[in-house]
Amino acid sequence: MSKKIRQLLAWIAIIALVGLYVATLIFSLIGSPFAQKMFQASLLCTFVIPIIIWLCMMALKWSENSSITINPDDEENPDDEENP
């Protein structure tokens, strides 16, 4: 995985988590039922977003290391003596 993609994902995670922490703090201080639901949602996202970003990074790393190619030209057998 290229360094720039990793840095971009790291910055996105940092910004999202800081925003969630601020939102969680604000929602915890407000006493309305809507604020309580938003507080629960922001707490849930505090755990879910880093896991999703980690899974994306692992998928990108796995796809770069994969030797599978999806190129029709690679599927042809050069030893095949039949010509269509």
Side-chain angles (χ1 to χ4, degrees), residues 9-37:
L9 288 174
W11 277 107
I12 290 171
I14 290 169
I15 292 169
L17 287 175
V18 168
L20 282 171
Y21 294 149
V22 170
T24 303
L25 178 66
I26 291 171
F27 291 137
S28 68
L29 298 175
I30 299 173
S32 71
F34 176 73
Q36 184 179 7
K37 294 289 185 188

Side-chain angles (χ1 to χ4, degrees), residues 13 17 44-58:
L17 287 175
L44 177 68
C45 288
T46 299
F47 295 104
V48 171
I49 288 177
I51 292 170
I52 290 173
I53 291 174
W54 179 78
L55 288 173
C56 289
M57 290 175 64
M58 292 301 291

